[in-house]
């Protein structure tokens, strides 16, 4: 894992600690444009990974109303980012993990719609570093604007998945992020949806200069489940996400 650099006031700084045998796999997910489906993919990935190892899904969207709402957990007991405002320095990842609400076997660290506002960058860095030592996998629902500004934890990820609907808005959005998805970051596309203007998958990949990791099928079960508060536990999307996890595990060994 690569330590981040940059102004502490703008971007989290990952602590420089030698990797150990319990260091978690860190996967970042970001959408190429608004409404791209990054939070849904992040949740589905986290659930798949939680079948294999202790996993936490982490909400880093600065404008988020809380990923717990997406999962139907907004009423669940447990801490959210505002409750960790004093978690600085030597933070116990095991203690944080024990306090988080659970979505099945997956721990969830969410923003709080009742207490909006981003956590301090130093708090984010210290809490996430602690969680890498207490879990086998972290899935980060990254903030797209922060990635564009170079103020995210992209460089601390082992892999970054860019959710890419097949349209020109997505191309423009990914090109804005592209300078921060460069050297040292294993970034790839997860292409989804129909192409209203006929933009092909290969054309999209060539336009943004990123490889395609997977294609997500159109799955009406996802939309129906999201309206009820949750992500479906079966169907075409679930099977596609299982293949994505298997591909990541092979490529990151």
């Amino acid at each position: 894992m690569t330590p981040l650099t940059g102004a502490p006031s703008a971007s989290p700084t990952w602590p420089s600690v030698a990797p150990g045998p319990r260091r978690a796999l860190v996967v970042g997910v970001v959408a190429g444009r608004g409404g791209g489906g990054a939070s849904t993919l992040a949740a589905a990935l986290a659930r798949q990974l939680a079948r294999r190892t202790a996993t936490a899904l982490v909400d880093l969207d600065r404008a988020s109303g809380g990923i717990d709402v997406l999962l139907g957990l907004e009423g669940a007991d447990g801490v959210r980012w505002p409750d960790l405002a004093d978690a600085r320095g030597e933070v116990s990842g095991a203690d944080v993990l024990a306090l988080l609400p659970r979505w099945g076997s997956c721990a969830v660290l969410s923003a709080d719609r009742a207490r909006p506002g981003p956590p301090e960058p130093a708090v984010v860095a210290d809490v996430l570093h602690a969680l890498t030592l207490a879990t086998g996998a972290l899935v980060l629902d990254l903030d797209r604007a922060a990635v564009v500004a170079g103020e995210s934890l992209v460089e601390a990820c082992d892999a970054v998945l860019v959710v890419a609907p097949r349209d020109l808005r997505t191309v423009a959005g990914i090109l804005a992020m592209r300078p921060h998805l460069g050297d040292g970051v294993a970034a790839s596309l997860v292409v989804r949806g129909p192409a209203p203007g006929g933009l092909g998958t290969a054309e999209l990949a060539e336009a943004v200069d990123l490889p395609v990791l997977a294609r997500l099928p159109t799955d009406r079960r996802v939309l129906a489940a999201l309206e009820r508060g949750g992500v479906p536990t079966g169907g075409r999307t679930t099977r596609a996400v299982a293949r994505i996890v298997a591909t990541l595990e092979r490529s990151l060994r």
Side-chain angles (χ1 to χ4, degrees):
M1 227 170 265
T2 306
L4 284 177
T5 58
S9 61
S11 177
T13 302
W14 201 262
S16 297
V17 177
R22 288 184 56 82
R23 193 84 174 195
L25 168 71
V26 181
V27 180
V29 183
V30 64
R33 61 162 173 81
S39 296
T40 304
L41 178 59
L45 281 170
R47 182 167 54 199
Q48 285 288 336
L49 286 164
R51 295 176 178 176
R52 296 161 164 78
T53 187
T55 300
L57 170 63
V58 182
D59 183 359
L60 292 178
D61 187 345
R62 295 183 294 194
S64 173
I67 202 169
D68 56 354
V69 176
L70 173 74
L71 305 177
L73 294 177
E74 62 269 31
D77 292 336
V79 302
R80 272 68 172 173
W81 272 118
D83 301 306
L84 298 174
D86 296 325
R88 297 286 301 275
E90 294 295 326
V91 178
S92 168
D95 288 349
V96 173
L97 202 60
L99 294 171
L100 296 177
R102 295 279 169 161
W103 182 48
S105 57
C106 180
V108 179
L109 178 48
S110 176
D112 189 340
R113 70 197 186 286
R115 295 172 290 171
E120 290 292 326
V123 171
V124 173
D126 288 345
V127 168
L128 294 191
H129 172 66
L131 286 175
T132 64
L133 303 177
T135 63
L138 289 185
V139 179
L140 309 182
D141 185 11
L142 296 169
D143 181 83
R144 189 165 43 92
V147 175
V148 171
E151 297 174 359
S152 75
L153 283 166
V154 161
E155 293 182 19
C157 296
D158 297 298
V160 174
L161 306 185
V162 182
V163 184
R166 289 192 291 155
D167 55 39
L168 292 180
R169 283 180 57 212
T170 298
V171 172
I174 296 175
L175 289 176
M177 290 189 288
R178 194 65 185 83
H180 302 289
L181 299 173
D183 296 341
V185 180
S188 55
L189 300 175
V190 176
V191 180
R192 60 173 291 270
L199 181 64
T201 298
E203 292 174 289
L204 172 60
E206 182 177 2
V208 300
D209 191 27
L210 285 174
V212 176
L213 178 70
R215 296 170 181 82
L216 287 182
T218 300
D219 190 346
R220 292 182 180 146
R221 294 183 58 176
V222 173
L223 293 176
L226 292 177
E227 284 300 308
R228 295 191 299 268
V231 176
T233 57
R236 301 173 69 193
T237 297
T238 298
R239 292 191 292 272
V241 170
R243 292 192 292 271
I244 290 172
V245 169
T247 300
L248 286 174
E249 289 177 336
R250 289 193 302 270
S251 64
L252 296 174
R253 279 176 188 164

